[in-house]
Amino acid sequence: MLCAFEGWNDAGQAVTNVIHHLVSRYDGREVRHIRCDGYYDYQAVRPMACSVTGRRKILWPQTTFYEITVAPGVRIFAQIAPEPNYRWQEYCRQSLRIAEEFDVDHIVTMGAMFADCPHTRPLPLDQSDRGCQCDMDREYNGPVGIPTVLDDMACSQGWDTTSLWVSVPQYLGGDECAQATLQILDRLSVLLGVDLDVGDLPDRANQWKAQASVLTRCNDELSSYVRNLEREYDLAKVAHDVADLGAPQAEQLVRETEEYLSNMGDGPRR
């Protein structure tokens, strides 16, 4: 079951758009809901007024579960909702009861966060896989969202879990980030062993990159900031690659990278 929540955990609408994309590209149907009662602050998550068949109606925030067939014999479930404001533990228990009802054996929580990363490189995508004998990630101390709580509760109750988090450049603001959605979808293809239909996401991702590049070219300060992020990204990648090499190859790789980064830093500036 794939789980995505709007709000704090969904920078650039990256993860909820994964669910929207799958529902639009495959044979999917709504199979369950969790009603909003007791879970939401309506001043934070407003009900929406709309017209349905000529009649005015109030739509309240709720959780929707979809059943989606992505390939012959391959069926997944997807949970999408605004992040609840209250009673998280009860909400997660209710979510897992629904997962149990549908014989789900693996919970995949997804999140997106704003971070210092350049749009000119692949966006950082972190994956954490845990079995039923698990502990919280000891490398992070700080606030968490409901994907982390749901992942932890699922793991403690015996589910295998995977947590996917993608980073979105914070300097681009809150616009939709198709590149992040595409990268998560590609990773899900690996997890499911199915080549998921990406539709027009590659074109939209290229458009996102092009618009970001135009923005940075028009702002000297932002352009310099992005170049620094690129250097940090490339150095981190080298450090990762060096760990997998022997000493002579590692030294050669470091020299080549230092020369490349030095030349990049001396490039023309506006």
Side-chain angles (χ1 to χ4, degrees):
M1 185 169 75
L2 312 180
C3 309
F5 300 91
E6 301 169 6
W8 189 71
N9 315 278
D10 191 26
Q13 294 81 59
V15 294
T16 49
N17 278 345
V18 170
I19 305 299
H20 292 313
H21 176 84
L22 291 173
V23 170
S24 69
R25 304 298 297 187
Y26 291 98
D27 180 19
R29 62 188 182 96
E30 297 183 19
V31 290
R32 287 291 185 278
H33 297 91
I34 296 177
R35 293 180 59 84
C36 56
D37 299 342
Y39 292 125
Y40 291 102
D41 175 354
Y42 297 134
Q43 291 183 325
V45 184
R46 297 278 180 175
M48 301 291 292
C50 67
S51 179
V52 179
T53 64
R55 298 182 61 184
R56 193 162 181 80
K57 185 175 181 180
I58 300 294
L59 297 180
W60 297 87
Q62 69 173 0
T63 302
T64 302
F65 293 83
Y66 293 95
E67 180 184 22
I68 307 170
T69 301
V70 296
V74 181
R75 181 183 57 164
I76 62 174
F77 294 90
Q79 174 183 11
I80 184 170
E83 182 179 52
N85 303 103
Y86 308 118
R87 299 168 57 205
W88 280 15
Q89 294 187 60
E90 174 56 32
Y91 177 88
C92 290
R93 282 193 288 268
Q94 191 169 355
S95 299
L96 293 176
R97 284 195 293 269
I98 292 174
E100 187 174 23
E101 177 184 347
F102 288 111
D103 295 324
V104 168
D105 58 7
H106 197 132
I107 304 290
V108 180
T109 56
M110 302 181 293
M113 57 187 172
F114 289 113
D116 293 323
C117 57
H119 70 277
T120 53
R121 303 291 190 269
L123 300 178
L125 178 57
D126 296 323
Q127 176 177 334
S128 175
D129 299 292
R130 304 194 296 169
C132 59
Q133 301 298 323
C134 57
D135 295 312
M136 291 289 286
D137 186 349
R138 300 180 186 275
E139 295 182 1
Y140 174 75
N141 295 288
V144 299
I146 201 163
T148 303
V149 176
L150 180 59
D151 175 80
D152 187 62
M153 289 184 66
C155 187
S156 67
Q157 292 184 27
W159 269 282
D160 289 332
T161 69
T162 296
S163 176
L164 297 177
W165 280 87
V166 64
S167 296
V168 175
Q170 62 178 355
Y171 59 86
L172 295 179
D175 292 340
E176 291 191 10
C177 183
Q179 177 64 32
T181 300
L182 177 62
Q183 288 186 212
I184 290 183
L185 199 68
D186 287 341
R187 184 62 60 88
L188 289 175
S189 292
V190 176
L191 288 174
L192 295 171
V194 173
D195 290 331
L196 295 173
D197 184 358
V198 297
D200 65 347
L201 277 174
D203 291 337
R204 290 167 53 200
N206 288 333
Q207 183 181 17
W208 174 82
K209 292 177 186 176
Q211 291 173 340
S213 295
V214 170
L215 177 64
T216 56
R217 284 198 299 268
C218 295
N219 185 315
D220 290 343
E221 183 176 350
L222 181 57
S223 180
S224 177
Y225 171 70
V226 172
R227 284 198 298 271
N228 288 333
L229 291 180
E230 290 172 337
R231 294 190 189 97
E232 292 173 3
Y233 185 102
D234 293 339
L235 285 173
K237 184 177 186 305
V238 170
H240 179 272
D241 293 342
V242 164
D244 297 329
L245 295 174
Q249 296 94 331
E251 292 176 1
Q252 178 64 25
L253 179 59
V254 169
R255 283 195 298 269
E256 292 174 355
T257 303
E258 288 176 341
E259 181 179 357
Y260 164 74
L261 293 175
S262 176
N263 292 336
M264 185 175 69
D266 294 336
R269 300 188 181 184
R270 295 179 182 271

